[in-house]
Amino acid sequence: MKKFLSIAMLIALLAVMMPASMVNAQGGEDYTVQADDWLSKLADKFYGDVNAYWAIMSATNQANADDPSYVKITNPDVVEVGSKLRIPSSDEAVAFMADFSPEDAQIEKLFASGAEGQLLAGNWWTSTGEFAAINAVYDIYRQEYPEVELIHAGLAGGGGVNFKGANLNKLIAGDPFDVFQLHVGLEAELYSPEEFLRPLDDILAETGALDVMPPDLTDLLKIRGNSYTVPMNIHRGNVMWTNTRLLEQAGVEVPTTFEEFFAVCDQLQSQGIVPLGMGIADGFELAHTFEVVLAGTVGAENTKGLFNGTVSWTDPGVTEALENYGKVLDCTNEDRSAGNWVQGIALVINDQAAFSIMGDWAYGEVIGFDATDYVTWNSPPGNQGQFFLVSDGFAIPKEAPNPENARRFIEIITRKDAQEAFNKLKGSICARTDCDYSDFGPGSAYFQGSADDFATNAIIPMVTHGSGAIPSWQDQFYQIATQFASDRDVASAQAALVLAAEDAGYPQQ
Ligand code: GAL
């Protein structure tokens, strides 16, 4: 061991002593990670370019494919002391970097291809709960197809705010992922499905998945006769997460109406407690909150009516909803711009806020941080009996580089075992109706309750999460909700909502 260490140290010492270009002109070398090393620091040392750490990651992963004594780097920020790296020569590093753009999510270049190729899985699941959940599916895939190099291409940004544009660019450029995440419903329109996506009706039929999915979900799958999305879950978009410890301490009850909510908000604020934990930095959270407040104010049928042209956005209920939305925002933490939805629920988990209104992906964080015994759930004000449907699925691009591996992935996500493994960590219920929630760990009661509610509540496909409106309308909805949060101008927000509906093809009176 000592000998090994001293050789490693000698190599490291040589690397420090020799000018980087000389060391590397000889065709690269091995390097053992020392305390206080990190990849960009090494890239700076060897190439004078902090960004060239991608070249080291790629070369090391390629080396690992032939010789497992090299470490496999899946996250460039985490490389353990003692790991063996392959440091490519300067020429190799320069050539790699000339061809590589992290912004274009060319992540596949960072990994070797397995004997049966790669599976590039594009998605935006990067938070604690989100990653744990999708990783449970990867585990199944890796176990069943060990020869495939499965690559998690996770691009942070809740609701897919960053992922969707990057993914569209890749599709247009003819450089797509093998499978990518999208919401069930109209979101597929964003990707010009007839041009870029493969219909997946055969997989849905062959696996029997269609027979075990609820009609509220299957109704959303077809776009001009074809299904491009295979669902794996049903999230509930409208939940008010509640810190029972803080409520007890403050001596307040869970409010059910807006009137009660605003009274509780005053009481909590007077005791120095943040009533509603919120983070808005991902860009979807304000629209999300407005949509939940809208339904809580005008009811489920009117909410659906506003998005299908049967109720006008000039309705006084919309005015009232905007007023309620403004008052709800006044109950949030002042630094809400600094964080995203993860920080919003973290305030509840960390006893810093009494409530947070967020979809049940937030329960994935509650589970991930072991907070299920004091963080519980309630309906947001006025939302009783309403269930905002948010469903995640995957699609296969027509030009997927590894289409067979992609099909295998889609087949797996239709399965009961995969959906159970995924959803018990994600906070959602299965897209199938035959999952057994009694075995969903400490969160079992939540999942069973959500499944029961889904079966009995009014189901509203959520616009903020791609199911209830075409993408351009969804965009305008985001913008209006965001603008309102800063100017609080009810009349102009309502006028903009009217125009957005007209743009989407629904004339308003
Ligand atoms: C939603 C998605 C969820 C969750 C959330 C936050 O749009 O359906 O799975 O990931 O965004 O990122």
Side-chain angles (χ1 to χ4, degrees), residues 95-114:
F96 179 86
M97 291 306 291
D99 217 25
F100 178 75
S101 155
E103 292 78 35
D104 294 342
Q106 293 178 326
I107 193 165
E108 71 275 16
K109 293 194 175 151
L110 299 173
F111 294 87
S113 193

Side-chain angles (χ1 to χ4, degrees), residues 42-63:
L42 293 176
D44 191 25
K45 180 164 94 180
F46 285 106
Y47 315 116
D49 174 4
V50 285
N51 289 320
Y53 66 88
W54 297 112
I56 300 176
M57 179 171 172
S58 168
T60 303
N61 284 341
Q62 306 292 337

Side-chain angles (χ1 to χ4, degrees), residues 12-62:
L13 207 62
L14 282 174
V16 175
M17 280 163 43
M18 288 192 207
S21 55
M22 262 184 69
V23 173
N24 293 299
Q26 291 156 12
E29 65 184 85
D30 296 341
Y31 180 82
T32 303
V33 175
Q34 309 294 304
D36 283 337
D37 274 345
W38 56 93
L39 280 193
S40 55
K41 184 172 157 189
L42 293 176
D44 191 25
K45 180 164 94 180
F46 285 106
Y47 315 116
D49 174 4
V50 285
N51 289 320
Y53 66 88
W54 297 112
I56 300 176
M57 179 171 172
S58 168
T60 303
N61 284 341
Q62 306 292 337

Side-chain angles (χ1 to χ4, degrees), residues 124-127 130 156-161 164 181-184 187 233 235 282 284-285 288 340-342 358-362 390-393 422 426 428 464-466 474 478:
W124 64 85
W125 286 326
T126 55
S127 79
E130 289 176 330
V161 287
K164 288 188 286 181
Q181 179 196 354
L182 79 172
H183 289 119
V184 167
E187 190 165 299
N233 70 351
H235 270 303
D282 276 356
F284 80 90
E285 298 93 339
H288 184 110
N340 62 1
W341 67 274
V342 181
M358 189 38 65
D360 56 14
W361 43 92
V390 181
S391 173
D392 299 298
F422 174 78
K426 189 69 171 67
S428 35
T464 303
H465 298 277
Q474 180 195 7
Y478 270 47

Side-chain angles (χ1 to χ4, degrees), residues 276-301:
L276 194 65
M278 188 178 207
I280 63 169
D282 276 356
F284 80 90
E285 298 93 339
L286 287 168
H288 184 110
T289 306
F290 176 48
E291 195 173 355
V292 170
V293 171
L294 180 66
T297 310
V298 305
E301 285 317 304

Side-chain angles (χ1 to χ4, degrees), residues 58-186:
S58 168
T60 303
N61 284 341
Q62 306 292 337
N64 163 276
D66 297 329
D67 174 358
S69 74
Y70 290 92
V71 68
K72 179 165 171 185
I73 308 173
T74 50
N75 179 351
D77 295 330
V78 186
V79 183
E80 283 180 19
V81 173
S83 304
K84 184 171 155 193
L85 304 178
R86 180 76 191 151
I87 308 284
S89 70
S90 290
D91 289 350
E92 284 167 335
V94 167
F96 179 86
M97 291 306 291
D99 217 25
F100 178 75
S101 155
E103 292 78 35
D104 294 342
Q106 293 178 326
I107 193 165
E108 71 275 16
K109 293 194 175 151
L110 299 173
F111 294 87
S113 193
E116 289 190 25
Q118 296 181 325
L119 176 76
L120 293 164
N123 57 72
W124 64 85
W125 286 326
T126 55
S127 79
T128 306
E130 289 176 330
F131 181 71
I134 190 60
N135 203 33
V137 178
Y138 295 161
D139 280 347
I140 296 177
Y141 192 97
R142 287 189 175 118
Q143 210 170 350
E144 293 180 18
Y145 303 106
E147 302 295 313
V148 176
E149 178 69 30
L150 190 162
I151 299 165
H152 166 68
L155 187 55
V161 287
N162 301 321
F163 178 80
K164 288 188 286 181
N167 186 43
L168 182 59
N169 287 342
K170 281 174 78 65
L171 282 173
I172 293 169
D175 170 36
F177 294 116
D178 289 308
V179 290
F180 69 83
Q181 179 196 354
L182 79 172
H183 289 119
V184 167
L186 293 164

Side-chain angles (χ1 to χ4, degrees), residues 27 98 156 214 250 275 306 311 323 328 339 348 358 367 385 460-461 497:
L306 288 165
V311 176
E323 285 161 1
V328 165
V348 177
M358 189 38 65
I367 292 168
I460 318 173
L497 287 164

